[in-house]
Amino acid sequence: MAKDSTNVDYTGPLRRLVLAVLVLLLTGTFLLWRIDSPRVERFRAQVTDQIVPNLDWAMAPITGTINLARDFQSYRRIVEQNSELRRELRQMQSWKEAALQLEQENARLLDLNNVRLDPRLTYITGVVLADSGSPFRQSVLLNVGARDGIVEGWATMDGIGLVGRISGVAQNTSRVIMVTDASSRIPAVIQPSGQRAIVAGDNSAAPPIDFLENPDLVRPGDRVVTSGDGGVFPAGLLLGQVAADPGGRLRVRLAADYERLEFLRVLRHYGNEPVSDTTDVLGGQDGAEQPPELTEVTE
């Protein structure tokens, strides 16, 4: 049987021919580009001038891809730097908060050291552990108690003003009833008029002034200090300043900072010695020089 000449496949020989021509062309181009000759150099320059400018459209995708890769790397570096800056910012904020707390604590401790009190009064400083949960801090707990010699009734102060008195002492802790508590009644003197009154707590931040002798002599801004009457509080402890509410009632704007109580000074106050014999006061003690007796002179 004769073979059908129409079924001859020319794909294989043609593929090999094209591959051979391409290899020869690339080899010739390589050799041409490697030849070091002035004539060949001028030929290469002319070819470059003719071909390279016309290949901008072909180089555009490649250039765009390279720029995109560079931009992506730059964006990734920016993201990493931004994350690092955020971490440093959070760390700096925590350092700032710690520095502010230390500054406030140092200021309050300096206030505690600079307050001028009766030299006969000694004190012990305690840390506020907790409050009663009231928005006006009617009572707080201190980390000093019977082991530290705390006695019920002693006055407590912050760096400037009176805070309250000890009411309840345990072995390691003690409770302080605030001046603002409804059960608090403090005998006070208003300066400079010298008017005596009672500062009565009413669970507000500015307790009212009751039983004032002559309200006409009292002005807003006058100082209010403890009078020492009753022997509960020492005399001369600062309570605050007189202020008038919208209804015209006189109140005390407390000097103590009740919103930030961290340290309290507990004053060791053992009361005043009662005078049992007036002759002691007048100088009639044993061994003391007696005044000369007056004798009537007659002519």
Side-chain angles (χ1 to χ4, degrees), residues 114-121 123 157 236-238 265 267:
N114 292 333
V115 173
R116 293 184 179 179
L117 299 173
D118 189 337
R120 294 173 299 176
L121 295 175
Y123 61 87
M157 300 182 66
L237 302 182
L238 178 63
R265 170 186 287 180
L267 303 181

Side-chain angles (χ1 to χ4, degrees), residues 20 43 50 61 171 203 228 252 265 268 294:
F43 175 74
Q50 293 295 326
Q171 183 65 25
N203 293 338
V252 178
R265 170 186 287 180
R268 296 189 179 99
L294 297 178

Side-chain angles (χ1 to χ4, degrees), residues 188-197 212-213 217-218 222-223 227:
V189 175
I190 301 176
Q191 299 173 346
S193 63
Q195 296 293 306
R196 294 184 177 270
L212 189 60
E213 296 175 352
L217 299 179
V218 178
D222 290 350
R223 285 168 51 90
S227 65

Side-chain angles (χ1 to χ4, degrees), residues 131-164:
D131 58 30
S132 62
S134 169
F136 301 109
R137 294 178 180 252
Q138 299 171 8
S139 65
V140 295
L141 286 177
L142 295 180
N143 68 337
V144 290
R147 66 175 182 180
D148 304 293
I150 301 299
V151 176
E152 187 168 347
W154 282 355
T156 60
M157 300 182 66
D158 70 347
I160 301 177
L162 182 67
V163 174

